[in-house]
Amino acid sequence: MKKRFLILVVLALAACSREQTQQVKQKAVNAKQRVADALDVEAPIERKQAAAAQAAQDREKERFDQQWRALQSFREQQAVQAAQQQAA
């Protein structure tokens, strides 16, 4: 009789500890989701900043490229000629 009672008590404690473990796991998952949601709000801003930084780097590379500078010079000459033709 005492053995059965002890077994029932042990099983009850084990069931309670499993339930508590499940609750702790669920709380951790919920906390992780809240953190992920908070970070998602700022992610687009970081992407825009990264894209702007990449564009700035690309422009800087172009400025040191001789062909790019020649193209810009050609475009400026074309703009000047177009302005002179409109003035005439």
Side-chain angles (χ1 to χ4, degrees):
M1 187 74 160
K2 288 184 181 181
K3 289 182 183 181
R4 287 185 185 173
F5 179 72
L6 287 176
I7 292 173
L8 289 174
V9 169
V10 169
L11 289 175
L13 289 175
C16 290
S17 66
R18 285 185 191 162
E19 192 174 311
Q20 288 174 347
T21 303
Q22 292 297 329
Q23 288 175 353
V24 169
K25 283 183 183 179
Q26 189 60 37
K27 285 181 182 178
V29 168
N30 290 343
K32 181 180 176 183
Q33 186 61 40
R34 284 194 306 265
V35 169
D37 290 344
L39 293 176
D40 284 343
V41 172
E42 295 183 23
I45 295 172
E46 292 175 4
R47 285 188 208 126
K48 287 179 184 176
Q49 290 173 347
Q54 184 63 37
Q57 287 177 349
D58 291 344
R59 281 191 304 271
E60 197 64 30
K61 286 179 186 177
E62 290 171 346
R63 288 184 184 134
F64 289 108
D65 185 14
Q66 182 62 34
Q67 291 178 342
W68 183 84
R69 288 187 289 169
L71 176 63
Q72 293 301 329
S73 176
F74 177 75
R75 287 180 178 168
E76 288 175 9
Q77 290 173 0
Q78 293 295 321
V80 169
Q81 288 178 359
Q84 288 175 351
Q85 287 176 356
Q86 285 180 354

